[in-house]
């Protein structure tokens, strides 16, 4: 269980526990209320109320409430890249939906995580702090508590999370590097399709060409997101005439090379919410994208 500790300073002597919490711990009001309700604040090892006053040298300890998700466990393989008591970061395989929906109540990352916890004798609530489309592979962040989820979200809002993707796109972009700063919206609220449109949400994608394939008119590109709109990379690249290879929704399908969009969340950098240390993570390209790159470089084997 995650714990937070604070030693009362001389300038804080005489203050109430609740004030010490507000000043030293960046908890949301909802989380503070749950901590209070579950009596998870201790002062020198003894349960304390918010109105208790502190003295210099006192040790304030706060635990986070225990929670559990209740999805159906399924023995679906997972590939952890990083894990500690607060975070689990996966290299998600393609073809796997992140969270159950009405149309897909099973065979999701959430179901796989329930089985993963069950096998390890663990119990925590699954909180996805970033999302990947079903057919996008790569780094997926799961927070094991509300505090980490909130902290990651705040970092994202302040543009402190760097998300780097690798994709194969159709054609050759005019520039080696560029920025697509175009709003993305939902033309039809019933359909999943997104588009660049007036009145859409601000959306910024930076791209860099890594390789232009000579045998076939495709390019390998690196993409960095400033914003995280649904289908952002797929929409932006399609809009400028270079849809992601294999993306049937936005005009990049080509089953000769790959049967899903060739898009992979390759690198992720942010500050660990609890340890306050930089995390720089990387997930290698999956076999199907590597195979597509080999085809595009060398042509098909006879």
């Amino acid at each position: 269980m995650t714990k937070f500790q604070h030693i009362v300073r001389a300038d804080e002597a005489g203050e109430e526990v609740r004030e010490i919490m507000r000043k030293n711990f960046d908890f949301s009001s909802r989380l503070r209320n749950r901590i209070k309700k579950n009596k998870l604040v201790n002062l020198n090892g003894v349960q304390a109320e918010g109105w208790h006053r502190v003295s210099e040298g006192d040790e304030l300890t706060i635990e986070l409430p225990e929670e559990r998700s209740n999805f159906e466990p399924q023995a679906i393989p997972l590939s952890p890249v990083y894990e500690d008591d607060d975070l689990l970061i996966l290299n998600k395989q393609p073809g796997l939906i992140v969270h159950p929906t009405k149309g897909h109540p099973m065979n999701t990352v959430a179901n796989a995580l329930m089985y993963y916890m069950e096998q390890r004798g663990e119990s925590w609530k699954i909180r996805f702090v970033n999302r990947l489309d079903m057919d996008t592979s790569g780094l997926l962040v799961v927070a094991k508590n509300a505090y980490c989820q909130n902290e990651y979200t705040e970092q994202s809002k302040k543009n402190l999370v760097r998300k780097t993707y690798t994709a194969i796109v159709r054609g050759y972009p005019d520039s080696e590097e560029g920025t697509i700063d175009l709003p993305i919206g939902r033309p039809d609220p019933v359909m999943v399709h997104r588009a660049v449109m007036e009145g859409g949400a601000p959306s910024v994608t930076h791209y860099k060409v890594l390789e232009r394939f000579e045998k076939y008119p495709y390019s390998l590109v690196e993409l960095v997101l400033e914003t995280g709109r649904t289908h952002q990379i797929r929409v932006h690249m399609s809009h400028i005439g270079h849809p992601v290879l294999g993306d049937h929704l936005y005009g990049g399908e080509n089953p000769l090379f790959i049967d899903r969009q060739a898009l992979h969340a390759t690198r992720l950098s942010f500050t660990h919410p609890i340890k306050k240390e930089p995390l720089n993570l990387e997930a290698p390209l999956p076999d199907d994208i590597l195979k597509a790159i080999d085809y595009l470089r060398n042509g098909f084997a006879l």
Side-chain angles (χ1 to χ4, degrees), residues 69-241:
S69 293
N70 59 356
F71 304 110
E72 185 72 25
Q74 284 184 281
I76 299 170
L78 292 175
S79 299
V81 174
Y82 174 91
E83 184 174 18
D84 60 18
D85 291 339
D86 305 293
L87 293 172
L88 173 60
I89 301 174
L90 304 170
N91 180 7
K92 185 186 87 69
Q93 62 266 48
L96 195 61
I97 290 175
V98 170
H99 198 278
T101 64
K102 287 184 178 180
H104 295 272
M106 299 290 286
N107 299 308
T108 72
V109 176
N111 300 117
L113 284 170
M114 288 300 296
Y115 183 81
Y116 181 81
M117 281 189 275
E118 191 178 76
Q119 295 301 300
R120 294 159 61 94
E122 297 177 355
S123 175
W124 36 269
K125 187 169 183 177
I126 298 168
R127 299 174 184 271
F128 295 108
V129 297
N130 71 326
R131 297 293 179 96
L132 296 177
D133 298 334
M134 179 177 73
D135 286 328
T136 298
S137 53
L139 295 169
L140 179 69
V141 183
V142 184
K144 296 183 179 181
N145 56 65
Y147 179 81
C148 285
Q149 181 184 36
N150 293 339
E151 280 291 296
Y152 184 96
T153 300
E154 287 303 310
Q155 288 186 46
S156 293
K157 289 178 181 178
K158 296 173 183 176
N159 203 24
L160 298 176
V161 178
R162 184 176 176 86
K163 296 170 284 186
T164 305
Y165 291 72
T166 303
I168 303 171
V169 300
R170 191 173 68 200
Y172 305 128
D174 293 336
S175 304
E176 292 300 308
E177 298 184 26
T179 296
I180 309 167
D181 185 354
L182 295 168
I184 292 176
R186 197 170 186 173
D188 186 338
V190 177
M191 304 297 290
V192 70
H193 185 272
R194 266 67 170 178
V196 168
M197 56 186 290
E198 186 176 346
S203 308
V204 180
T205 304
H206 305 283
Y207 70 86
K208 177 181 179 181
V209 177
L210 301 178
E211 183 175 354
R212 296 172 185 267
F213 300 108
E214 295 181 0
K215 290 184 177 293
Y216 303 97
Y218 288 91
S219 301
L220 184 68
V221 297
E222 178 180 273
L223 305 116
V224 176
L225 299 183
E226 271 192 34
T227 52
R229 312 301 174 198
T230 300
H231 298 177
Q232 179 174 318
I233 289 173
R234 300 163 63 190
V235 171
H236 270 171
M237 295 309 293
S238 178
H239 185 80
I240 66 170

Side-chain angles (χ1 to χ4, degrees), residues 287-301:
D287 289 343
D288 61 347
I289 292 182
L290 290 174
K291 187 175 181 180
I293 290 172
D294 184 60
Y295 283 155
L296 291 166
R297 282 179 183 155
N298 305 306
F300 288 97

